[in-house]
Amino acid sequence: MKVLVVGGGGREHALVWKLAQSPVVSEVYAAPGNAGTASIGTNVAIEVDDVEGLLAFAVSNGIGLTVVGPEAPLVLGLVDRFQERSLRVFGPTAASARLEGSKAFAKATMRRFGVPTADYGEFDDPEAARAFIRRLGAPLVVKADGLAAGKGVVIARRVEDALAAVDDMMVAGAFGEAGRRVVVEEFLEGEEASFLAFCDGKTVVPMASSQDHKAVFDADQGPNTGGMGAYSPAPVVTAEIHREAMERVMIPMVDGMARAGTPYVGVLYAGLMIRDGALKVLEFNCRFGDPECQPIVMRMKGDLVPVLEACLDGRLDEVRLEWDPRAAVCVVLASEGYPGAYPKGLEIQGLEAASSLPEVAVFHAGTRRGEGGRVLTSGGRVLGVTALGAGVAEAIDRAYEAVAKIRWPGMHCRSDIGRKALGRAVEATDG
Ligand code: AMP
Ligand code: GLY
């Protein structure tokens, strides 16, 4: 079977790497892909939001399964369009992907299904938002309703900062239509974790737990990024938190979405805030996390294709996932200046030395092939250096040993990925 992976980040390289290992897969395409996916399969120069272009490619090339990485094409209705043409495609429909595409919709849905989340208000009118902010007091969080490439969330330590965010989003239109409506919510303290599950519209099969590192600098300092590293399993997801995440979040959401006539098929990713043994949902994503997908896929045993197909066919109750008992750690290497503006086209050295280390996979994100086999930077997050180890400490050491072999001018990474897990016992929560 020919498989198409939509996207060009570390998540998509990890998916291509895993799918290419399947005995039923003859060829893997990535659109648009990166230098890493090109080393395994074939890159196709179609952008992720060009739904009609992707559809035409899938039809004319006999693609048997399309797997969608990023949220934008899902929110645009790629899955609906492919289904209209009877193509097999993994991911939620536009109606289900609204859980990520509209924060107001996600909050209202959580409230409706009794899922624990921060108190909030939703506003189309800046004056009403300002009044709510003054009443709530700081700290608080202002979120653009629509997709804003991960930049639409402002954590306001002072009321003035929240008011400025309202002006920015609602009046000045910093995020266009995506920010004309905002969600204002209470600030939650605690530790974050990523809870991802496969869903077939009825059944929820959780993946191994993971934790992302959103801030650009060590010790969670500096602005938020798409994610500077991740590891799995995450000990903060205790057996009790895991049970709560299933019983109070995932199952009510999937049951509720089915009752609402929009059954959820694909990966549902709950961003959790955990404090004193209790959890609240910060957000839903309608896809695999990036970088979380990289350590998760490295720990996933067996063939991914039957799992994705079981989701499409409503047979997920027959699936049991198996996980490598070892830990995996992914350290993201980023371009100078990221998450702000950054240079492109710089040559990356040491890729082979890094990826030839045992139990290491160097997943590419913002890379492209240059002349003469050179690999050049082409994005903010450039590589996800991922390693397995007997425990998280060993995985950290291996990942950073590989990181030390790679360089390009201005490359930077966090030096503390996975550190929160050290010294904490891991309870058995996989699967
Ligand atoms: P979101 O896209 O809604 O997950 O927000 C992005 C990031 O902002 C989250 O991963 C958190 O680090 C932070 N965040 C969002 N909502 C809250 C909240 N209510 N309290 C504290 N931090 C938050
Ligand atoms: N790593 C966070 C995300 O994928 O949204």
Side-chain angles (χ1 to χ4, degrees), residues 55 77-94 263 265 311-312:
L55 179 62
L78 181 148
V79 168
D80 310 65
R81 287 290 289 139
F82 275 50
Q83 284 175 350
E84 281 163 25
R85 301 292 296 271
S86 302
L87 290 171
R88 304 270 282 170
V89 55
F90 179 79
T93 58
V265 178
C311 291
L312 304 192

Side-chain angles (χ1 to χ4, degrees), residues 18-197:
K18 183 73 178 163
L19 290 165
Q21 294 168 32
S22 167
V24 298
V25 171
S26 56
E27 246 176 300
V28 187
Y29 298 88
N34 55 39
T37 60
S39 71
I40 303 173
T42 307
N43 285 357
V44 185
I46 307 175
E47 288 306 317
V48 300
D49 55 1
D50 180 4
V51 172
E52 296 309 314
L54 292 164
L55 179 62
F57 176 82
V59 169
S60 58
N61 288 276
I63 299 295
L65 176 65
T66 299
V67 183
V68 186
E71 61 279 11
L74 295 166
V75 171
L76 283 174
L78 181 148
V79 168
D80 310 65
R81 287 290 289 139
F82 275 50
Q83 284 175 350
E84 281 163 25
R85 301 292 296 271
S86 302
L87 290 171
R88 304 270 282 170
V89 55
F90 179 79
T93 58
S96 294
R98 276 187 84 199
L99 287 176
E100 179 164 1
S102 164
K103 291 193 188 286
F105 176 75
K107 295 294 283 189
T109 307
M110 285 190 259
R111 193 173 263 181
R112 189 165 154 209
F113 303 149
V115 172
T117 189
D119 283 338
Y120 79 105
E122 157 193 345
F123 304 96
D124 293 309
D125 167 28
E127 204 35 57
R130 292 186 194 109
F132 184 79
I133 285 168
R134 290 197 188 94
R135 209 163 55 242
L136 199 61
L140 45 78
V141 185
V142 181
K143 302 183 175 185
D145 177 49
L147 293 183
K151 298 192 171 71
V153 173
V154 173
I155 312 275
R157 303 269 162 201
R158 304 174 315 161
V159 165
E160 304 88 272
D161 299 337
L163 296 174
V166 164
D167 284 343
D168 237 29
M169 292 182 194
M170 303 185 79
V171 184
F175 304 108
E177 279 313 299
R180 295 290 175 198
R181 170 177 295 168
V182 300
V183 164
V184 179
E185 67 178 26
E186 61 171 328
F187 176 80
L188 299 176
E189 306 270 0
E191 188 171 336
E192 287 182 56
S194 305
F195 197 96
L196 281 70

Side-chain angles (χ1 to χ4, degrees), residues 11 212 214 226-227 269 283 285 287-292 381:
R11 165 183 51 211
D212 189 11
K214 292 242 159 80
Y269 162 158
E283 63 164 345
N285 294 321
R287 49 171 174 84
F288 290 98
D290 192 5
E292 292 95 322
R381 293 190 293 175

Side-chain angles (χ1 to χ4, degrees), residues 286-305:
C286 60
R287 49 171 174 84
F288 290 98
D290 192 5
E292 292 95 322
C293 183
Q294 301 173 56
I296 286 176
V297 153
M298 239 179 129
R299 294 190 59 221
M300 188 182 288
K301 289 184 166 182
D303 190 349
L304 177 57
V305 173

Side-chain angles (χ1 to χ4, degrees), residues 189-229:
E189 306 270 0
E191 188 171 336
E192 287 182 56
S194 305
F195 197 96
L196 281 70
F198 291 105
C199 306
D200 69 355
K202 321 184 283 278
T203 302
V204 179
V205 173
M207 293 181 225
S209 62
S210 58
Q211 190 175 54
D212 189 11
H213 298 67
K214 292 242 159 80
V216 68
F217 300 128
D218 283 6
D220 297 331
Q221 301 298 304
N224 270 356
T225 68
M228 292 299 290

